[in-house]
Amino acid sequence: MRQHYIDNLRWITILLLVPYHAAMAWNVWDEPNYIFFEGNKVISSIIVFLSPYFMPVLFLLAGISTSLALKKRTVKEYISERVKRLFIPFLFCTLFFMPIMTYIADKFNFGYEGNLFEHYGIFFTKFTDLTGADGGFSLGQFWFILYLLVISMLALGIIVLLKKRITKFKKDTPLWFICVLGLPLMLLSELLSIGGKSLVEYTYIFLIGYYIFSNDNVIGKIEKYRLIFLFVGLMAAILNVYLFIWSDISYPLVNTTVKFIAEWFMLIALLGIGKDCLNFNSKVSTYLSQRSFVFYILHFVWVVLFQYLFADILSDNIELLYIVPIILAYCTTFLSCEICIRIPFLCSFMGIKPITNSNCMNR
């Protein structure tokens, strides 16, 4: 039986990327961005509130999905599917969409006067901080696709090698065990970390999804205590925002600890809430689930473009400068999704199936 809450949690998370990425234009920690206006604590608080668990939940869901996928696919079929759905889209999107985003960034941040085609030469030869804010090479949001590809292959190797030694968790799960599973996150977060994104940490979360949270008994226990987990996660996330953004005194160790408490308890809370409230299928949820991957690919380009276009027009109104590009980005992203899924060769490059197939998306 298909676990619809996995699909629904995924598309909800991906839809939230629009306001999340739009808010990066106002971050107060001076992180380079394609468009940067000025530091704003209120808007930056949105990022800090979501960031501890925002992307980790997608890796956790991917681990659970892999458990389901390997029940109906051979190892060879799984690898082939990952290449088609991840490797090809990663190459295509990095080479096609990222030069556009870095071109806009170069024009906005550094006054670049050349055209888009001339800027391709800069993109493929300028390697600096990899953020793309200076017009140089960047993976942008497609780091997630690359990480998911690498982690899927690493995890598959571990699963195959340890198949006879480690089995999925089948016993009744005590509450303390679920809670302590998050402890290694603090130790793993700096290992193989690029731009604050740890390959080791996300691999751990993926494997936890595969071995632990793919079990219905474990999910049932999480669902039972979901409100407790949610309370702890929200309190930690709010405290993390206060310590990182609003406090005048620095508490690095406390801030780091609170951040990882927020990450873990929000992760398991979202699984429990998803299982309880989102385990359904409807026309709307099917529509959004089928387009979630291509939405992920396209959304940031539109956010950056509209922030660039409205930078001068709405410069005196921060609220509108934040909200208007978000609304327009949602509209144009969905419109461009509809166009892309009707063009077969684009579907091949983006790792999706054409609209002619009732199951337009394939994990």
Side-chain angles (χ1 to χ4, degrees):
M1 183 178 297
R2 190 174 185 86
Q3 301 296 322
H4 295 293
Y5 77 95
I6 297 175
D7 299 320
N8 292 331
L9 275 176
R10 184 183 289 112
W11 65 254
I12 289 172
T13 302
I14 289 174
L15 287 183
L16 286 173
L17 280 169
V18 173
Y20 179 90
H21 280 141
M24 283 299 298
W26 284 273
N27 76 81
V28 296
W29 49 91
D30 297 324
E31 180 177 341
N33 194 54
Y34 306 103
I35 302 292
F36 186 80
F37 298 118
E38 60 183 14
N40 183 286
K41 287 187 176 182
V42 175
I43 298 177
S44 292
S45 295
I46 298 171
I47 304 169
V48 177
F49 179 79
L50 293 172
S51 60
Y53 53 90
F54 201 52
M55 297 308 293
V57 72
L58 294 178
F59 287 103
L60 189 67
L61 295 175
I64 300 173
S65 297
T66 293
S67 173
L68 300 173
L70 289 177
K71 290 180 179 179
K72 58 182 181 180
R73 294 187 181 98
T74 65
V75 170
K76 184 177 179 179
E77 289 172 339
Y78 179 80
I79 293 174
S80 176
E81 186 264 351
R82 293 292 86 181
V83 170
K84 292 178 182 178
R85 305 306 181 204
L86 295 175
F87 181 66
I88 293 175
F90 167 72
L91 287 180
F92 172 74
C93 295
T94 302
L95 299 178
F96 183 77
F97 292 112
M98 286 314 304
I100 299 173
M101 295 175 66
T102 60
Y103 167 69
I104 296 173
D106 208 353
K107 285 181 68 66
F108 185 85
N109 295 323
F110 297 96
Y112 178 74
E113 297 181 353
N115 61 44
L116 174 60
F117 296 103
E118 292 171 340
H119 196 268
Y120 271 81
I122 296 175
F123 177 78
F124 289 112
T125 57
K126 187 176 182 179
F127 296 88
T128 52
D129 58 10
L130 300 181
T131 65
D134 60 357
F137 182 82
S138 174
L139 299 181
Q141 69 271 32
F142 305 121
W143 71 267
F144 170 70
I145 300 178
L146 176 61
Y147 267 44
L148 188 55
L149 173 65
V150 173
I151 289 172
S152 296
M153 296 299 99
L154 287 174
L156 182 64
I158 293 172
I159 292 165
V160 172
L161 288 174
L162 302 181
K163 187 174 183 179
K164 295 182 179 180
R165 297 184 181 182
I166 300 179
T167 57
K168 296 178 186 177
F169 203 85
K170 297 181 180 179
K171 299 179 181 179
D172 183 36
T173 314
L175 193 62
W176 65 265
F177 179 77
I178 294 174
C179 294
V180 300
L181 280 172
L183 290 178
L185 293 176
M186 289 186 64
L187 303 175
L188 302 176
S189 63
E190 297 301 322
L191 300 178
L192 294 179
S193 180
I194 302 174
K197 304 170 180 68
S198 170
L199 186 65
V200 178
E201 177 188 356
Y202 289 146
T203 301
Y204 173 76
I205 292 173
F206 184 100
L207 289 171
I208 287 294
Y210 177 86
Y211 282 110
I212 307 295
F213 294 135
S214 60
N215 181 265
D216 288 338
N217 293 329
V218 178
I219 294 296
K221 180 63 69 73
I222 293 174
E223 183 181 0
K224 181 179 179 181
Y225 293 101
R226 65 192 181 281
L227 295 182
I228 296 175
F229 295 143
L230 181 63
F231 176 79
V232 175
L234 286 176
M235 292 301 100
I238 292 170
L239 182 56
N240 181 51
V241 171
Y242 171 75
L243 292 173
F244 191 78
I245 299 291
W246 298 95
S247 177
D248 295 327
I249 305 174
S250 178
Y251 303 96
L253 181 59
V254 176
N255 202 166
T256 301
T257 303
V258 168
K259 175 186 175 183
F260 285 105
I261 292 174
E263 176 181 2
W264 183 246
F265 280 91
M266 285 302 293
L267 277 179
I268 54 182
L270 289 173
L271 281 184
I273 293 170
K275 181 66 173 178
D276 180 61
C277 304
L278 299 174
N279 200 26
F280 63 86
N281 187 31
S282 67
K283 290 183 178 179
V284 173
S285 65
T286 299
Y287 174 89
L288 293 170
S289 179
Q290 289 176 342
R291 288 152 179 80
S292 62
F293 189 65
V294 68
F295 187 97
Y296 180 88
I297 289 173
L298 297 171
H299 79 279
F300 207 176
V301 181
W302 291 113
V303 169
V304 171
L305 177 60
F306 286 122
Q307 285 186 327
Y308 174 76
L309 294 176
F310 284 92
D312 292 329
I313 300 173
L314 300 176
S315 59
D316 295 330
N317 192 318
I318 293 177
E319 292 80 7
L320 285 179
L321 186 54
Y322 177 61
I323 294 172
V324 170
I326 288 175
I327 295 173
L328 292 175
Y330 274 122
C331 296
T332 51
T333 302
F334 275 117
L335 178 60
S336 52
C337 284
E338 294 306 309
I339 295 172
C340 289
I341 62 178
R342 286 167 171 79
I343 303 175
F345 82 90
L346 278 181
C347 291
S348 299
F349 285 127
M350 290 186 175
I352 58 176
K353 291 183 178 180
I355 194 65
T356 53
N357 191 312
S358 61
N359 184 20
C360 177
M361 286 286 296
N362 188 4
R363 280 179 289 173

